[in-house]
Amino acid sequence: MSSLFEEFSSLLVELNGTFIKTSLEEQFDILFVTYEGKAEDILPFFAKKENQLLIKGTEISFKFVIDGSSSFYDEDFIKTSRYIQNEQDILLTVSVNKKISFPLNNNELLFFDMEAFLSHFKIENDKFISTLKAVDYEKTIHIYLPIDQLFQNHFVKVIPISDFGNYNIQTLENKQLQEILHIKETREELTRVESWFPLPQIFSIETNQKMVNKRLNQNLFFVSLMHIANKYKQNVFTIRGQKNLELTYDETFIPENASILYSIFKFSFGEEQTQDKLEITRNIITIYLHQETISQLDEQLDKMKQTIERHFSMYVQDKIKKFFDDTKDVIDLAHKYALEAREAADKIATNISTSIVALITAVFSGIVIMARGNFLFLVVALVLHILYFILSYSFNRHFAVKKKKDIHYIYDLTSENFSNIAPDEKEEIKKKYVTPAIQSIETNLKKYTWLTVALIVFMLALITGTYFTQDLLTNLNNQTEQNVPMEQEETDKNQEPGGNNLEKQEGDNGKVEKETAPKVDNETQNKTNNKS
């Protein structure tokens, strides 16, 4: 606790017990207290050493008005006190800047007087608004009042003034920080509440002071309604639902059911489906209110709360049913495009088989052509096969890539029509059904690419090898052609009937051969003549 605060508090207690307090004016930062008395009582009071130290060496200001005419400040009064007569009237005003002298954090409020607190702690008060704009809502707020007991929630502490300085401003717990962040983001999107505006949570606290509770409830009601309404301007709340509703707010209005309206606010700004909840809340309020008055709203809040929760429950059930229906449709959609993707992958596999068959055909054709020695025709055939592979691969790859992109695009475009399903759930369905099929296209396409490259390289190697071995193969072929007739002639000789006996007879008995030959000729001639 600040020593100056203790000294000032003790001074006020002593002045209140000694002199007559004529006025008190206290604001969020400044305090003025005025007393009246006779010089014979005031002079001895400030003759005390501890009081003179307060006048001379502190930021507390003292103003003395003698007989309503002469004014003296601080030390000047002590210097002129010898000239003041005991019977003279003195008006003493003590003032202090609480924010500077004690000092006060932006999240701290200090009031010595309860009535001053109640008159300023109103959400419609411009000075209160200025104070709230400087508050850090991610930290606790401390309000020091002349009470005898501590009251608090997760956001605010209402502390006895006697414990000033004993509590440190702390950062809120993570749960409360997330709650504040969610409400701020939601109201920025769905309402016209300004970023500095306080949250209803800081007014949701109950003390043992009846008047304090009334003021807190007024602020709680106003701030909760500010978050639920579509617009607030010049004391008029506008709510748009089944109809447009305008409610004029009266500063003197004391709500009876502020806690219920706060419960409706918490329900509407819950973590899930906030927009839907807020729309249902606005619709129910406009349906129930036939008289556009704040008091009528306050009276109907209990029924409204029950109706809002019931309608939202029914809405959720319908939405769950639609969710499951939409989920089934999305899964069917994913199955459809997964099937198309697998068909595309199968087509690539078929093309791979076709390429292998084409390779086998090319190899056998090459063997036959090489056997005949027609090397130019072999080269032409292999080049045509290479062109076939290239064109076939280019067309099939283009088809596969386009098919893959089309499946992604059409699935994403079509699934957007199912608004009940969250984007992450759609993505999960896509990963489960569509993505594996797409990956099969990519896998087969890689295989097809490597196979096509390998075939082309093989055929180019075959062409190159044939070119460099062409002369050797030609010589071998020519040699083979020369050897074949000789071998054939020798074989014919060996297979001629009576060949060996004829040679023997020709050598040993030439006369027989000569006689036999003419004989045959004569017989042939006779046969010819007979025919003639």
PDB file of all heavy atoms in Angstrom, residues 41 60 343:
ATOM      1  N   ASP A  41     -10.179  26.085  15.656  1.00  0.00           N
ATOM      2  CA  ASP A  41     -10.095  24.621  15.540  1.00  0.00           C
ATOM      3  C   ASP A  41      -9.155  24.189  14.412  1.00  0.00           C
ATOM      4  O   ASP A  41      -8.430  23.190  14.553  1.00  0.00           O
ATOM      5  CB  ASP A  41     -11.480  24.036  15.269  1.00  0.00           C
ATOM      6  CG  ASP A  41     -12.451  24.329  16.409  1.00  0.00           C
ATOM      7  OD1 ASP A  41     -12.020  24.246  17.577  1.00  0.00           O
ATOM      8  OD2 ASP A  41     -13.631  24.623  16.111  1.00  0.00           O
ATOM      9  N   ILE A  60      -0.779  16.379  -2.268  1.00  0.00           N
ATOM     10  CA  ILE A  60      -2.112  16.744  -1.779  1.00  0.00           C
ATOM     11  C   ILE A  60      -2.201  18.268  -1.723  1.00  0.00           C
ATOM     12  O   ILE A  60      -1.294  18.944  -1.217  1.00  0.00           O
ATOM     13  CB  ILE A  60      -2.373  16.144  -0.394  1.00  0.00           C
ATOM     14  CG1 ILE A  60      -2.231  14.619  -0.449  1.00  0.00           C
ATOM     15  CG2 ILE A  60      -3.769  16.508   0.111  1.00  0.00           C
ATOM     16  CD1 ILE A  60      -2.284  13.957   0.909  1.00  0.00           C
ATOM     17  N   GLU A 343     -10.235 -45.507 -63.211  1.00  0.00           N
ATOM     18  CA  GLU A 343     -10.363 -45.837 -64.628  1.00  0.00           C
ATOM     19  C   GLU A 343      -9.231 -45.195 -65.432  1.00  0.00           C
ATOM     20  O   GLU A 343      -8.676 -45.821 -66.342  1.00  0.00           O
ATOM     21  CB  GLU A 343     -11.715 -45.365 -65.148  1.00  0.00           C
ATOM     22  CG  GLU A 343     -12.901 -46.189 -64.624  1.00  0.00           C
ATOM     23  CD  GLU A 343     -14.229 -45.621 -65.077  1.00  0.00           C
ATOM     24  OE1 GLU A 343     -14.225 -44.524 -65.689  1.00  0.00           O
ATOM     25  OE2 GLU A 343     -15.271 -46.262 -64.816  1.00  0.00           O
TER      26      GLU A 343
END
